Amino acid sequence: MTLENISQNKVYQGWHKQYSHHSSSLQCDMQFAIFLPPNARQGEPVPVLYWLSGLTCSDQNFMQKAGAFRKAAELGIAIVAMDTSPRGEQVADDDNYDLGQGAGFYLNATQAPWAEHYRMYDYVTQELPKLIEANFPVSNRKAIAGHSMGGHGALTIGLKNPQQYCSISAFSPIVNPMQCPWGQKAFSAYLGHDIETWKPYDSCELIKQTDCQLPILVDQGDADNFLLEQLHTDTLVEAAKNYPGEINIRMQAGYDHSYFFISSFIEEHLAFHSQFLNA
C-alpha cells in the first residue's frame, strides 16, 4: 500500500509525521498522523498508543493540542492519531456536525447510504494497525485511548478485542450511546432501528457481560457541559462494579470537555499505558 508523506516536524528529538493512503476498508483516501519517539528505529521497535478523537475532529486535533510529545518521547511510545470518519465527495454526509463526515462513531455501518464507506471499526482494529506495523519501527504492543466519541470508540474496541491491546483509557467518553441524543441519532442512521444491533457499540452494555480484564483509566471533568445529557459517566460507574479487571474512573473537579482538560492529564495517561506496553 502506498503511503504519501504530507508533512513532518521534529519535536522532542522525535518526529511527528502525517500521511495519506487509500483505505480498502473505507473505500476512500484517508489521513493519519504518527509520532515516533527518538528511540524508534529499525531493530528497536517501540509500542504504540492509538488515539481516537471526537466529533468534528481529524488526525491533527490531538497532535496539535494535547501536549503529549514530551512524555511520549521520554517513555518511548509511538502515538498514532487517525481521522474520525471516511472523507471525500463520494462519501455520504449530513449537514449536522454529529452525523456523517467527522462523526464515524468507530463502528461498521449496515444501513444505506452509510454502509459503503463507514467501516471505522474495521479500519481501527484491522487495516490501520497492519499498515503501521508494516511501515514504521513499531512492535505489535498496542494500547488504545480517545476523547468523547473517541473515548466511546476506545472503550468499545478495547473491550471487544482484549487480545489486541494492553490497556485502555478515555477522556470524557460517551459511555452509554444507546441512551443519549448523539448515540441514538448516529446508531439509528448507521445501524438501523433494531436496538439489539446497537449493544455491541455501547460500553455500558459490553462491560456487563465482558470477560475482558484489560486495565482501564477514565477521566471525566465535572464541569463538562455534556456530562448529564450525553456522557452518562454515572452509568459506567454502576456498570463497572462487576468489571473483572482494574478500572479507575476519576471525576476531575472544574474541568470541561476541551483539550485544556486533555492536556492537563495526558502525561498521566501515557504513564498509565507505559506500565502495560512495556511490561
Side-chain angles (χ1 to χ4, degrees), residues 7-271:
S7 67
Q8 61 181 29
N9 307 91
K10 191 171 185 178
V11 53
Y12 287 104
Q13 303 303 314
W15 288 93
H16 166 274
K17 299 184 179 187
Q18 189 182 32
Y19 290 87
S20 67
H21 72 104
H22 183 76
S23 167
S24 58
S25 300
L26 307 178
Q27 293 298 306
C28 66
D29 290 340
M30 289 291 284
Q31 292 185 179
F32 69 87
I34 184 168
F35 169 73
L36 292 168
N39 64 317
R41 56 182 65 90
Q42 295 301 328
E44 297 182 36
V46 296
V48 185
L49 174 68
Y50 285 84
W51 176 267
L52 311 184
S53 289
L55 290 166
T56 76
C57 292
S58 72
D59 60 292
Q60 284 302 290
N61 294 74
F62 177 85
M63 292 303 202
Q64 294 181 5
K65 297 179 180 180
F69 298 142
R70 186 194 68 80
K71 191 67 172 179
E74 174 190 315
L75 296 171
I77 297 173
I79 302 173
V80 171
M82 67 211 70
D83 207 342
T84 52
S85 77
R87 303 276 184 173
E89 292 183 3
Q90 80 280 19
V91 175
D93 200 8
D94 188 85
D95 291 337
N96 296 298
Y97 76 96
D98 53 358
L99 187 68
Q101 294 187 37
F105 270 83
Y106 304 102
L107 50 73
N108 285 341
T110 59
Q111 305 299 302
W114 313 103
E116 181 179 358
H117 297 286
Y118 284 75
R119 302 190 64 81
M120 288 296 293
Y121 181 86
D122 284 352
Y123 182 69
V124 174
T125 60
Q126 299 175 35
E127 183 178 4
L128 188 58
K130 290 179 182 177
L131 181 67
I132 297 299
E133 290 168 20
N135 288 277
F136 299 97
V138 301
S139 72
N140 62 1
R141 301 281 292 174
K142 298 186 289 291
I144 192 163
H147 171 232
S148 194
M149 178 186 71
H152 141 77
L155 288 167
T156 55
I157 287 170
L159 287 167
K160 290 197 288 185
N161 298 276
Q163 73 285 356
Q164 288 194 38
Y165 303 98
C166 300
S167 50
I168 306 166
S169 78
F171 289 87
S172 315
I174 305 169
V175 299
N176 195 197
M178 293 179 65
Q179 302 298 330
C180 78
W182 280 339
Q184 290 167 347
K185 180 178 181 178
F187 286 8
S188 295
Y190 297 144
L191 302 173
H193 296 290
D194 180 358
I195 292 178
E196 289 301 310
T197 67
W198 298 9
K199 290 181 178 180
Y201 298 107
D202 187 295
S203 301
C204 289
E205 291 295 324
L206 288 171
I207 210 166
K208 292 174 185 177
Q209 55 190 354
T210 187
D211 57 1
C212 171
Q213 296 185 38
L214 293 182
I216 299 174
L217 173 62
V218 175
D219 272 324
Q220 173 63 57
D222 70 2
D224 190 324
N225 59 320
F226 299 115
L227 178 57
L228 296 180
E229 183 180 22
Q230 303 283 8
L231 306 181
H232 299 308
T233 308
D234 56 340
T235 307
L236 180 65
V237 171
E238 186 62 30
K241 290 179 179 178
N242 295 317
Y243 182 62
E246 172 194 342
I247 183 168
N248 187 8
I249 304 169
R250 310 189 303 189
M251 292 298 295
Q252 303 289 4
Y255 287 92
D256 58 21
H257 200 72
S258 71
Y259 267 83
F260 294 108
F261 175 38
I262 294 171
S263 65
S264 298
F265 294 96
I266 190 60
E267 292 196 353
E268 292 184 24
H269 281 240
L270 289 167

